[in-house]
Amino acid sequence: MIETLGRGHDLRVVAPEEVEDAITGDVAVVMLTEVDYRTGRMHDMARLTRKAHENGALAVWDLAHSAGALPVDLSGAGADFAVGCTYKFLNGGPGAPAFIYVAPRHAGTVRPALSGWLGHAAPFAFEQGYRAGEGIARMRVGTPPVLALASLEAALDIWDGVDMADLRARSVALSERFITAVEAACPMLALASPRDPARRGSQVSFRFAHGYEAIQACIAQGVVGDFRAPDIMRFGITPLYLDETDIDRAAGIIARVMRDKLWDNDAYRQRGAVT
Ligand SMILES: *Cc1c(COP(=O)(O)O)cnc(C)c1O
């Protein structure tokens, strides 16, 4: 992607703990996923955005594992841009549309990377030249996926009655309960998520050398987690529809999978395209 700019920029990928020190005066854009998809480790959006701005850089946030999982305050943090998906914690369903955020201060000047017809100032005039639409409207690329938006709209209706602070409190309580139960029963699993809930999103991950097989075995027993290479077993905690009973049952099933080595089975070693 960076080559498409054609200005000789470098792409620097640094470890999550090293991001803050890597934001120096020669950085143009800081692009971060707020909640790490492997470990659930959460960056401090306000602090890193401030550091980016102090160094003359823009801050772009990926909210794939934040939206619907925890309170997000883009304008409070001063973020420049953000993107995210609606099919994870927002429950829009497979293939639900992505979203983009542009700070109002940029909306009138930003040049869309994809200058699609529906983002044109006069989409139905079919002019030969491109004129960007007014403000955020220019970020629309093409015809909206209306069927997918219809199911997303139904999913979003539920959020009208949800206070994100309540949701976060439930997420933390359920996550803590899950960690306590799994650690007590499964000494072979090492917590890969931050132990401090304030530094964690709404997921809990454990490391286990046979994590792929173990997740397959959990799925076969009704606990649907994800495997992320090389050894991460990831469990999403979704308080909109999970409660203590679900958490306890899930922890009990994981305990059985681990204690009885149910994962040690050829059927679970077959790698699928989706993990
Ligand atoms: C799921 C996810 C996305 C969403 O990507 P799509 O192309 O919308 O499916 C983006 N970033 C991260 C880190 C994700 O986990």
Side-chain angles (χ1 to χ4, degrees):
M1 265 312 284
I2 206 149
E3 288 96 59
T4 62
L5 294 174
R7 304 226 202 120
H9 292 92
D10 290 328
L11 178 64
R12 293 184 200 156
V13 180
V14 298
E17 305 75 23
E18 290 161 18
V19 166
E20 186 159 2
D21 288 342
I23 303 174
T24 47
D26 59 343
V27 171
V29 177
V30 177
M31 198 280 152
L32 294 168
T33 299
E34 186 188 19
V35 176
D36 188 291
Y37 70 97
R38 290 193 183 91
T39 63
R41 180 191 183 282
M42 185 161 53
H43 282 299
D44 184 335
M45 181 187 286
R47 183 185 172 95
L48 294 178
T49 298
R50 199 178 322 118
K51 177 122 197 230
H53 290 168
E54 282 164 9
N55 283 276
L58 295 170
V60 182
W61 290 93
D62 182 327
L63 305 176
H65 294 272
S66 309
L70 40 102
V72 176
D73 185 2
L74 290 168
S75 51
D80 295 284
F81 300 93
V83 292
C85 70
T86 59
Y87 57 82
K88 291 175 183 147
F89 290 89
L90 291 173
N91 303 313
F99 64 85
I100 190 163
Y101 165 86
V102 178
R105 64 184 177 279
H106 298 309
T109 49
V110 65
R111 194 159 54 84
L114 295 174
S115 44
W117 78 279
L118 216 59
H120 194 280
F124 291 95
F126 299 105
E127 295 169 6
Q128 291 296 318
Y130 174 75
R131 285 189 295 125
E134 196 57 42
I136 192 72
R138 70 184 57 187
M139 303 311 285
R140 213 185 279 126
V141 176
T143 311
V146 174
L147 297 181
L149 281 169
S151 73
L152 175 61
E153 188 175 28
L156 293 181
D157 280 346
I158 293 164
W159 293 91
D160 290 344
V162 176
D163 178 321
M164 290 310 289
D166 290 346
L167 181 103
R168 175 67 172 159
R170 288 290 290 157
S171 157
V172 168
L174 294 175
S175 301
E176 294 287 278
R177 187 181 184 98
F178 183 69
I179 292 172
T180 302
V182 172
E183 285 193 321
C186 309
M188 63 297 273
L189 298 186
L191 184 67
S193 299
R195 196 166 287 282
D196 175 3
R199 299 186 49 235
R200 197 169 65 216
S202 198
Q203 66 179 66
V204 174
S205 301
F206 294 96
R207 290 187 196 283
F208 179 57
H210 300 280
Y212 184 82
E213 296 95 305
I215 283 290
Q216 298 306 306
C218 288
I219 292 172
Q221 305 284 323
V223 177
V224 182
D226 304 285
F227 170 75
R228 290 293 176 263
D231 59 357
I232 297 264
M233 297 169 68
R234 180 181 76 180
F235 299 94
I237 308 293
T238 53
L240 275 195
Y241 51 86
L242 293 181
D243 63 14
E244 282 79 0
T245 314
D246 299 307
I247 294 293
D248 294 349
R249 274 183 55 210
I253 289 170
I254 295 165
R256 197 166 69 244
V257 164
M258 301 310 300
R259 187 188 58 228
D260 298 345
K261 292 203 168 118
L262 299 184
W263 54 266
D264 195 5
N265 179 329
D266 279 343
Y268 301 142
R269 279 184 255 280
Q270 206 65 37
R271 299 269 170 143
V274 176
T275 64

mmCIF file of all heavy atoms in Angstrom, residues 33 37 62 64-65 84-85 87-88 98, ligand 1:
data_model
loop_
_atom_site.group_PDB
_atom_site.id
_atom_site.type_symbol
_atom_site.label_atom_id
_atom_site.label_comp_id
_atom_site.label_asym_id
_atom_site.label_seq_id
_atom_site.Cartn_x
_atom_site.Cartn_y
_atom_site.Cartn_z
ATOM 1 N N THR A 33 -4.086 -0.618 15.709
ATOM 2 C CA THR A 33 -5.314 -1.294 16.101
ATOM 3 C C THR A 33 -5.425 -1.127 17.617
ATOM 4 O O THR A 33 -4.512 -1.519 18.341
ATOM 5 C CB THR A 33 -5.255 -2.787 15.728
ATOM 6 O OG1 THR A 33 -5.098 -2.876 14.310
ATOM 7 C CG2 THR A 33 -6.534 -3.507 16.127
ATOM 8 N N TYR A 37 -5.618 -7.958 18.186
ATOM 9 C CA TYR A 37 -6.500 -9.085 17.879
ATOM 10 C C TYR A 37 -5.989 -10.399 18.439
ATOM 11 O O TYR A 37 -6.747 -11.361 18.545
ATOM 12 C CB TYR A 37 -6.742 -9.188 16.365
ATOM 13 C CG TYR A 37 -5.526 -9.635 15.568
ATOM 14 C CD1 TYR A 37 -5.365 -10.958 15.215
ATOM 15 C CD2 TYR A 37 -4.551 -8.720 15.194
ATOM 16 C CE1 TYR A 37 -4.255 -11.377 14.488
ATOM 17 C CE2 TYR A 37 -3.439 -9.126 14.482
ATOM 18 C CZ TYR A 37 -3.301 -10.452 14.131
ATOM 19 O OH TYR A 37 -2.191 -10.857 13.425
ATOM 20 N N ASP A 62 -7.639 1.604 14.133
ATOM 21 C CA ASP A 62 -8.469 0.476 13.694
ATOM 22 C C ASP A 62 -9.261 0.013 14.920
ATOM 23 O O ASP A 62 -8.679 -0.368 15.937
ATOM 24 C CB ASP A 62 -7.555 -0.642 13.167
ATOM 25 C CG ASP A 62 -8.342 -1.848 12.646
ATOM 26 O OD1 ASP A 62 -9.430 -2.138 13.196
ATOM 27 O OD2 ASP A 62 -7.857 -2.506 11.716
ATOM 28 N N ALA A 64 -11.569 -2.471 14.985
ATOM 29 C CA ALA A 64 -12.235 -3.756 14.722
ATOM 30 C C ALA A 64 -12.600 -4.477 16.017
ATOM 31 O O ALA A 64 -13.663 -5.084 16.113
ATOM 32 C CB ALA A 64 -11.350 -4.637 13.848
ATOM 33 N N HIS A 65 -11.713 -4.420 17.021
ATOM 34 C CA HIS A 65 -11.979 -5.146 18.272
ATOM 35 C C HIS A 65 -12.384 -4.199 19.399
ATOM 36 O O HIS A 65 -12.358 -4.577 20.570
ATOM 37 C CB HIS A 65 -10.757 -5.976 18.660
ATOM 38 C CG HIS A 65 -10.488 -7.069 17.676
ATOM 39 N ND1 HIS A 65 -11.064 -8.311 17.768
ATOM 40 C CD2 HIS A 65 -9.777 -7.069 16.522
ATOM 41 C CE1 HIS A 65 -10.688 -9.047 16.735
ATOM 42 N NE2 HIS A 65 -9.909 -8.317 15.960
ATOM 43 N N GLY A 84 -13.291 0.541 11.079
ATOM 44 C CA GLY A 84 -13.672 -0.609 11.891
ATOM 45 C C GLY A 84 -14.650 -1.473 11.142
ATOM 46 O O GLY A 84 -15.081 -1.133 10.036
ATOM 47 N N CYS A 85 -14.963 -2.589 11.750
ATOM 48 C CA CYS A 85 -15.925 -3.477 11.119
ATOM 49 C C CYS A 85 -17.125 -3.639 12.039
ATOM 50 O O CYS A 85 -17.052 -3.356 13.237
ATOM 51 C CB CYS A 85 -15.289 -4.825 10.796
ATOM 52 S SG CYS A 85 -14.910 -5.830 12.233
ATOM 53 N N TYR A 87 -19.082 -6.525 12.076
ATOM 54 C CA TYR A 87 -19.524 -7.920 12.197
ATOM 55 C C TYR A 87 -18.957 -8.621 13.415
ATOM 56 O O TYR A 87 -19.235 -9.789 13.632
ATOM 57 C CB TYR A 87 -19.213 -8.718 10.926
ATOM 58 C CG TYR A 87 -17.762 -8.751 10.509
ATOM 59 C CD1 TYR A 87 -16.875 -9.642 11.082
ATOM 60 C CD2 TYR A 87 -17.298 -7.891 9.519
ATOM 61 C CE1 TYR A 87 -15.557 -9.670 10.692
ATOM 62 C CE2 TYR A 87 -15.981 -7.922 9.123
ATOM 63 C CZ TYR A 87 -15.109 -8.809 9.707
ATOM 64 O OH TYR A 87 -13.796 -8.835 9.314
ATOM 65 N N LYS A 88 -18.159 -7.939 14.220
ATOM 66 C CA LYS A 88 -17.636 -8.594 15.427
ATOM 67 C C LYS A 88 -18.560 -8.255 16.600
ATOM 68 O O LYS A 88 -19.656 -8.788 16.682
ATOM 69 C CB LYS A 88 -16.193 -8.186 15.662
ATOM 70 C CG LYS A 88 -15.284 -8.786 14.585
ATOM 71 C CD LYS A 88 -13.851 -8.343 14.654
ATOM 72 C CE LYS A 88 -13.079 -8.954 13.494
ATOM 73 N NZ LYS A 88 -12.018 -8.072 13.008
ATOM 74 N N ALA A 98 -18.043 -2.294 6.594
ATOM 75 C CA ALA A 98 -17.051 -1.610 7.422
ATOM 76 C C ALA A 98 -17.512 -0.167 7.640
ATOM 77 O O ALA A 98 -18.458 0.292 7.010
ATOM 78 C CB ALA A 98 -15.695 -1.626 6.708
HETATM 79 C C1 LIG B 1 -11.685 -7.999 11.603
HETATM 80 C C2 LIG B 1 -10.633 -6.970 11.426
HETATM 81 C C3 LIG B 1 -10.746 -6.010 10.420
HETATM 82 C C4 LIG B 1 -11.901 -6.012 9.475
HETATM 83 O O1 LIG B 1 -11.487 -6.309 8.184
HETATM 84 P P1 LIG B 1 -12.573 -6.502 7.030
HETATM 85 O O2 LIG B 1 -11.769 -6.323 5.809
HETATM 86 O O3 LIG B 1 -13.632 -5.473 7.245
HETATM 87 O O4 LIG B 1 -13.116 -7.902 7.187
HETATM 88 C C5 LIG B 1 -9.767 -5.032 10.339
HETATM 89 N N1 LIG B 1 -8.721 -4.992 11.185
HETATM 90 C C6 LIG B 1 -8.577 -5.901 12.171
HETATM 91 C C7 LIG B 1 -7.412 -5.796 13.115
HETATM 92 C C8 LIG B 1 -9.517 -6.925 12.324
HETATM 93 O O5 LIG B 1 -9.384 -7.818 13.301
#
